[in-house]
Amino acid sequence: MTAQSPSPVFTVRFDISDQEFSLAGVLRPHSPAEIADDLLLLRNGIEAVNGVLYVNLKRVTHMNSTAFRALTRVLVDASHSRPELKFVVVASSVVAWAARMFRHLTDLSPNIAIEIYDSAFYPGQAFVENQSFIPILRTQTRMTWRHEREILPRHGLRTGMAIADICCGIGDFAMLVRKEFDPARIVALDHSMASLDYARDVAEKFGVRDIEYTYGDASQMLLESDQFDFVICRHSLQIFDRPEMLLRELYRICKPGGRVYITNEKNSHCLGEPRSDSIQWTYHEVAKLFSHFDMDVEMGPKGLRLLQDAGFEAVKMESFMVSNLDGDPQEFADIIAAWRDVYAGEMSVRRGDSQEFIERFKQGFEDHIFAALHPRGYAGWPIWAASGRKPL
Amino acid sequence: MKSQKAAISVAFDQLLSLRMDMANFTADWLHCDQLSNYVARMVSHDRPDPLRHSNLLSSVLNELLEMSFRSETDDGELVCAFCRCREIERVELTFPCPPRQRQFYKDVVLGLKTRQVLASYLGAIANDSAPGDEAILLGLVVNYDAEVQLRDFGAGTLTFIVDLPLGKLLN
Ligand SMILES: C[S@@+](CC[C@H](N)C(=O)[O-])C[C@H]1O[C@@H](n2cnc3c(N)ncnc32)[C@H](O)[C@@H]1O
């Protein structure tokens, strides 16, 4: 009985300035001796810190009993030898066994606390996971699809591919892509349970069984590396305060030679006629409001640079204008009304805006709606679509 | 025993059964990881959240496979079967096992029903000298709400039957 191959891959880090020991990947050693060096790093780390030591296990996808017991003993011993030290073990809400297993550390020592990492990921997350966004997302997708079904093939989407839609929202785009491009596999991931429930309901009603909807955190996915021919991430990089972290994950799950496709907006460029000045003022304010919550809704044209910086090659970009001329103008007006309700509602209030500001802010959306519904009016919402190839 | 077995085979649909020569299996520790991921993925594709389902199931399968890996016998076959009955998933793992080891497992599994499992589990994970297999089986009960049964038809093999409410654990 030999253990010839090295155990599955994991990484270990100790960061003295953050007082954080992190493990990531698959910890399935044959014996505790295999991870002895890693645990020594932890032991030495414990000696070097004061106050709180963070044990970050968010990115551990598997940990066998052997590893867990070895880790437990180090932490429990340390909690006895350094009783003044607090240990905070951070586990992921996505990995279903993690919280159930790691909670026993608290049972064994009152100095060890467990934190479940979930939606505290970035400041604006609560807004974008808000259920009131569901109807907007649906209408938005219907309108952008008219453009994107033609754009996607230019960025390399073909039938029969393995596709992932990361931050899929209510899953409607995945449904459309599935129908049009007949993928070999399609995974759709989001961090909103409400949106996923909605997506599964719709799929069920249409008898669609082959979209793999999954709850996850886009910045650290359970998906394995090098799996997808085409990775989609729409309207979502712009809401993360560290988009490069997300791009790294999109890159990781993409096959070498496959492409990552992103779309983002530049809100200050929303426009309309008549009443263009009021509309323009309001959308400049939208950009400022989002940036107050660390979201960059001006990201659209930055797509080229972002993809290049993330290591993609053969990067392409184009833009398109969703407008009131794309079908029923009322649909366009509905989108604006939904934006008005959230942006000049909850978000503006949360920032502490004055009533006077909110009134003026709202007026621009009203004027945009007016332009959209005006028989001779024009109302537009510009979007940038970019993609890059992962090198072979 | 007979009627119980009949009831089991009626209620559960078998989705998959894998056979492997024990000597091949134990030739490489990595086989535990690979086999558990493979089986978990195969049977999770039609679940509401295939990825998380598969991650959870792989964790359980891996523990069982690691246990059989250490069973000290290379002679014979490893059989890993997977069945489902509505929300309950069942793993049946059969592997060659010498008599002394079989008795040890029987005692542990009996203990799972009679002892304070949480206290025993905490004792097992905090204590170096507790047997690894016992910690694994207690862990399955405590962390995965598993129900563990044993079937021993003699012939030098032992079958673990582990029922798991995975759908419930994922929500
Ligand atoms: C602006 S919506 C875009 C949804 C969809 N792609 C579309 O275009 O309709 C952003 C989505 O990102 C999701 N999201 C936010 N944080 C996430 C995270 N950490 N991991 C995965 N998804 C996240 C939200 O739940 C929301 O569905």
Side-chain angles (χ1 to χ4, degrees):
Chain A
M1 248 177 255
T2 48
Q4 293 157 354
S5 307
S7 288
V9 188
F10 70 93
T11 56
V12 57
R13 256 185 92 222
F14 179 71
D15 183 335
I16 184 73
S17 53
D18 292 340
Q19 304 212 136
E20 184 180 68
F21 174 80
S22 348
L23 285 170
V26 178
L27 276 108
R28 288 175 165 174
H30 187 226
S31 71
E34 254 179 69
I35 54 169
D37 287 349
D38 310 296
L39 293 177
L40 186 63
L41 187 68
L42 173 59
R43 276 204 195 89
N44 293 339
I46 291 167
E47 293 307 316
V49 301
N50 289 306
V52 180
L53 176 79
Y54 291 92
V55 180
N56 180 345
L57 306 178
K58 286 188 308 199
R59 307 199 59 167
V60 172
T61 51
H62 287 295
M63 184 182 283
N64 68 3
S65 178
T66 304
F68 179 53
R69 289 174 76 200
L71 177 70
T72 299
R73 280 191 299 275
V74 173
L75 290 175
V76 172
D77 287 353
S79 76
H80 293 144
S81 63
R82 302 243 0 233
E84 79 291 359
L85 208 59
K86 293 271 175 246
F87 297 86
V88 174
V89 174
V90 190
S92 159
S93 68
V94 173
V95 180
W97 54 265
R100 293 180 65 96
M101 196 152 112
F102 299 143
R103 70 184 164 161
H104 301 302
L105 294 166
T106 305
D107 297 335
L108 290 168
S109 166
N111 289 345
I112 307 178
I114 308 296
E115 254 176 33
I116 305 301
Y117 161 89
D118 184 19
S119 56
F121 177 55
Y122 62 86
Q125 189 139 3
F127 300 120
V128 293
E129 290 191 25
N130 186 326
Q131 287 199 45
S132 62
F133 261 104
I134 288 182
I136 320 186
L137 292 177
R138 218 181 136 86
T139 314
Q140 283 187 180
T141 306
R142 207 168 33 241
M143 299 203 72
T144 57
W145 179 249
R146 295 196 179 99
H147 301 264
E148 285 183 271
R149 70 186 294 187
E150 278 156 28
I151 290 173
L152 285 162
R154 290 203 284 276
H155 289 262
L157 184 55
R158 303 276 177 272
T159 55
M161 284 184 157
I163 301 175
D165 185 5
I166 306 305
C167 301
C168 67
I170 54 170
D172 45 357
F173 196 78
M175 287 281 271
L176 292 164
V177 163
R178 175 190 168 275
K179 198 162 167 213
E180 184 90 11
F181 295 95
D182 193 20
R185 180 184 183 200
I186 179 162
V187 172
L189 177 144
D190 202 274
H191 191 268
S192 157
M193 283 285 193
S195 298
L196 289 170
D197 285 347
Y198 183 98
R200 289 192 187 105
D201 268 4
V202 172
E204 173 98 28
K205 281 195 191 108
F206 286 86
V208 172
R209 298 255 154 74
D210 47 1
I211 301 180
E212 299 173 43
Y213 287 112
T214 186
Y215 170 70
D217 178 354
S219 68
Q220 43 195 50
M221 298 185 274
L222 287 180
L223 290 164
E224 283 164 34
S225 305
D226 304 330
Q227 279 202 42
F228 297 96
D229 302 295
F230 202 79
V231 178
I232 298 167
C233 184
R234 299 174 56 261
H235 300 276
S236 297
L237 282 178
Q238 59 184 30
I239 60 165
F240 287 88
D241 54 351
R242 287 162 68 193
E244 63 290 340
M245 196 167 142
L246 214 115
L247 270 171
R248 217 177 298 142
E249 276 292 272
L250 302 178
Y251 183 97
R252 183 182 67 76
I253 65 170
C254 185
K255 282 183 194 167
R259 292 187 78 89
V260 168
Y261 169 88
I262 60 174
T263 69
N264 290 292
E265 300 161 49
K266 183 171 174 75
N267 258 277
S268 65
H269 279 38
C270 283
L271 65 136
E273 281 295 345
R275 304 187 181 175
S276 63
D277 289 348
S278 152
I279 296 169
Q280 202 177 35
W281 181 84
T282 283
Y283 283 99
H284 272 102
E285 290 300 325
V286 169
K288 288 189 212 158
L289 177 64
F290 273 82
S291 96
H292 176 81
F293 293 107
D294 288 328
M295 295 184 259
D296 181 12
V297 290
E298 296 287 275
M299 184 178 279
K302 300 174 193 165
L304 264 184
R305 176 174 59 75
L306 280 166
L307 287 168
Q308 278 164 3
D309 288 352
F312 290 95
E313 57 186 26
V315 176
K316 294 181 188 171
M317 184 156 87
E318 60 188 289
S319 60
F320 60 98
M321 183 77 82
V322 175
S323 84
N324 60 333
L325 307 180
D326 294 336
D328 184 356
Q330 187 59 49
E331 288 200 331
F332 192 93
D334 289 345
I335 296 179
I336 311 307
W339 290 349
R340 176 197 61 204
D341 294 346
V342 178
Y343 305 166
E346 193 187 344
M347 285 178 80
S348 217
V349 170
R350 182 81 67 87
R351 186 172 60 169
D353 294 342
S354 69
Q355 199 50 45
E356 193 189 355
F357 174 87
I358 292 179
E359 285 311 314
R360 186 173 173 204
F361 192 34
K362 261 193 190 147
Q363 190 55 48
F365 294 114
E366 301 296 349
D367 291 336
H368 206 197
I369 292 171
F370 180 82
L373 297 177
H374 193 288
R376 286 178 295 151
Y378 179 83
W381 167 37
I383 295 167
W384 278 258
S387 72
R389 185 173 64 212
K390 177 168 169 174
L392 282 170
Chain B
M1 187 68 193
K2 222 177 181 179
S3 63
Q4 189 190 347
K5 211 194 137 200
I8 287 166
S9 55
V10 169
F12 279 84
D13 287 333
Q14 188 176 86
L15 273 73
L16 172 150
S17 172
L18 253 162
R19 267 166 204 283
M20 196 167 172
D21 190 49
M22 198 64 189
N24 282 338
F25 173 61
T26 56
D28 194 338
W29 175 248
L30 211 53
H31 288 158
C32 301
D33 174 70
Q34 290 167 339
L35 202 57
S36 51
N37 289 343
Y38 176 75
V39 171
R41 235 176 272 150
M42 292 275 280
V43 300
S44 297
H45 71 94
D46 64 343
R47 299 291 91 192
D49 192 328
L51 204 57
R52 291 175 69 234
H53 196 101
S54 162
N55 172 272
L56 191 57
L57 179 58
S58 167
S59 285
V60 176
L61 279 167
N62 182 65
E63 293 298 315
L64 290 165
L65 288 169
E66 288 189 4
M67 206 167 70
S68 62
F69 190 99
R70 300 179 204 271
S71 74
E72 300 170 14
T73 317
D74 280 356
D75 222 9
E77 271 191 333
L78 175 88
V79 184
C80 178
F82 181 86
C83 316
R84 184 173 286 149
C85 174
R86 284 188 221 102
E87 292 304 303
I88 300 292
E89 323 231 19
R90 168 169 291 183
V91 178
E92 294 187 5
L93 190 72
T94 304
F95 55 94
C97 189
R100 205 166 34 86
Q101 189 83 3
R102 295 216 294 273
Q103 193 53 48
F104 166 77
Y105 285 133
K106 281 179 197 163
D107 293 342
V108 175
V109 170
L110 199 65
L112 299 179
K113 303 209 166 52
T114 51
R115 275 187 303 163
Q116 294 287 327
V117 280
L118 179 59
S120 309
Y121 178 65
L122 294 178
I125 57 173
N127 179 352
D128 261 338
S129 57
D133 291 351
E134 188 175 358
I136 286 179
L137 290 166
L138 286 162
L140 294 184
V141 175
V142 170
N143 296 327
Y144 302 88
D145 294 351
E147 266 190 41
V148 183
Q149 305 171 56
L150 274 185
R151 218 186 279 158
D152 181 356
F153 293 134
T157 67
L158 192 65
T159 303
F160 275 89
I161 304 170
V162 180
D163 287 350
L164 301 154
L166 295 189
K168 199 183 91 201
L169 298 185
L170 285 169
N171 288 314

